[in-house]
Amino acid sequence: NYLKDRIKIPSPASLYELVEVDAVDSEKVFLDVGQKYDLSEINKSQIISQNQKQSKSSVRDNGTRIQAEKTWLAPNVLVISFALPIVAPKIGKKTSERGYIVTGYYQMREETRDILKIITNPKYNDAEKLKQLGLLINKDKAQSERINAVRLWEKFCKTAPNDPEMQKRLKFIPRGDNLREIGVASWICKYNGKPMLIKRPGVTSFIFSHSKGDRMEIDINMHPLPFMFKQAMNTLNVSYFHQLFMTFGFIIEGREEDELPEVLLGNPLQLPCIKQENVSKAEMVFGKPNE
């Protein structure tokens, strides 16, 4: 009942499971990072898992069983990438795009898929959907806290690529787990863990949908953010990143009662003690931008 009492609760289990994290040091911002990798193994594991519980299936030439019909738009594979500036801006000079590009690769959780199968089933009317959701909750009570978030996520996947207002509901939650312990300045600590709405589609946020591979990517570019943020990132990079445990989370903002509680899209990305000399150069991994 957050809209009335303003009391927050911990997020239930995320909608997606983290498979892998990459971090690279880059002179430029790269977008749609996932297309530079072969993510077919992640999607293949999703198809196999999906069809272990799916009675209706067809058979490809290679014998892999696949789901006969997918009734939802939410992707099996989710990629979330963000560009983090590490160079302090200088007055009168062009802003540098030097920074880290951090990318998480996720696969949909079975719990999320079970809800999607019900709420997008064209054969169910509203009463039948409620009945089926009730049966699902009886098997796993934790599902009651995920249902609204799954509905909101499906709505986001359907509308956000072409709706800037929906895209503005993306929240980015950066946190330094040991900022005070390692002596980071209080002016930085006071912002620690505070959610940030990414409000400038096409500037600070980008969405790429790929039907082939059933994949969506959400990219966040933090380079256009204000001077104070970039100054803080430069300070952390120069003096603290090598001993800092960082966590990054992502949420779609719920604004109505039937969109709450908010649930993390995926497990938070964790970056422990980054040493710049040990981070791969993006140009060596990706090639040059727009190549």
Side-chain angles (χ1 to χ4, degrees):
N1 201 24
Y2 174 74
L3 294 179
K4 292 182 179 180
D5 57 32
R6 316 305 289 182
I7 297 176
K8 296 183 178 181
I9 63 171
S11 171
S14 62
L15 304 184
Y16 286 75
E17 180 181 5
L18 182 63
V19 177
E20 188 174 334
V21 180
D22 285 330
V24 295
D25 183 354
S26 181
E27 297 289 341
K28 297 288 184 180
V29 173
F30 283 81
L31 299 176
D32 203 6
V33 174
Q35 70 171 339
K36 300 180 181 295
Y37 292 97
D38 180 3
L39 303 178
S40 59
E41 284 303 311
I42 298 177
N43 194 42
K44 181 179 178 182
S45 69
Q46 286 287 282
I47 292 172
I48 293 172
S49 175
Q50 194 170 322
N51 285 290
Q52 286 175 345
K53 300 175 66 177
Q54 179 74 26
S55 58
K56 292 183 179 181
S57 61
S58 59
V59 180
R60 286 181 176 165
D61 290 341
N62 63 6
T64 302
R65 299 186 73 195
I66 60 173
Q67 181 179 325
E69 182 181 7
K70 181 187 174 197
T71 56
W72 56 89
L73 291 174
N76 276 335
V77 178
L78 175 64
V79 179
I80 303 180
S81 183
F82 61 93
L84 194 67
I86 58 173
V87 176
K90 296 180 180 179
I91 297 175
K93 291 190 176 183
K94 183 179 179 181
T95 302
S96 171
E97 289 190 353
R98 175 72 184 280
Y100 296 127
I101 297 177
V102 183
T103 308
Y105 305 90
Y106 297 88
Q107 61 185 12
M108 183 181 287
R109 292 186 183 276
E110 284 292 342
E111 294 86 351
T112 302
R113 186 177 296 107
D114 287 342
I115 295 172
L116 285 168
K117 286 178 181 178
I118 295 172
I119 65 175
T120 65
N121 191 326
K123 298 179 181 179
Y124 291 162
N125 58 27
D126 289 345
E128 184 62 25
K129 288 178 183 179
L130 288 175
K131 177 183 176 181
Q132 294 298 323
L133 289 172
L135 294 173
L136 189 65
I137 292 170
N138 286 339
K139 294 179 182 178
D140 180 2
K141 295 192 181 301
Q143 285 286 56
S144 64
E145 297 180 333
R146 300 187 187 102
I147 291 170
N148 286 348
V150 173
R151 282 199 187 102
L152 178 58
W153 173 237
E154 176 69 4
K155 180 180 178 182
F156 183 91
C157 294
K158 180 179 181 180
T159 62
N162 299 304
D163 182 356
E165 291 306 310
M166 176 58 78
Q167 203 172 138
K168 291 177 184 179
R169 294 170 71 167
L170 175 64
K171 282 184 183 179
F172 176 70
I173 310 173
R175 190 181 76 226
D177 297 332
N178 59 333
L179 286 182
R180 296 190 184 279
E181 290 82 351
I182 61 177
V184 175
S186 60
W187 70 271
I188 296 177
C189 291
K190 71 178 182 179
Y191 296 105
N192 191 34
K194 293 188 180 297
M196 303 165 55
L197 278 170
I198 309 301
K199 294 183 176 181
R200 300 168 65 188
V203 178
T204 55
S205 69
F206 304 84
I207 295 177
F208 302 94
S209 296
H210 299 278
S211 57
K212 183 178 180 180
D214 199 1
R215 184 179 82 247
M216 173 184 281
E217 177 164 339
I218 298 174
D219 289 347
I220 300 172
N221 179 14
M222 312 201 77
H223 287 270
L225 268 58
F227 174 90
M228 187 71 76
F229 176 83
K230 288 184 278 192
Q231 184 64 53
M233 290 301 101
N234 174 252
T235 299
L236 291 173
N237 181 59
V238 171
S239 303
Y240 299 104
F241 272 178
H242 67 284
Q243 54 184 328
L244 179 61
F245 290 87
M246 293 181 286
T247 302
F248 304 93
F250 310 90
I251 282 176
I252 305 302
E253 182 185 45
R255 297 179 179 175
E256 305 293 338
E257 196 64 47
D258 63 359
E259 297 176 344
L260 298 170
E262 295 174 340
V263 175
L264 288 165
L265 290 181
N267 313 53
L269 302 182
Q270 296 182 323
L271 294 179
C273 306
I274 289 182
K275 294 183 179 180
Q276 194 164 349
E277 62 270 21
N278 295 335
V279 180
S280 299
K281 298 295 184 182
E283 289 74 15
M284 298 295 292
V285 178
F286 302 146
K288 295 180 180 179
N290 300 320
E291 188 173 72

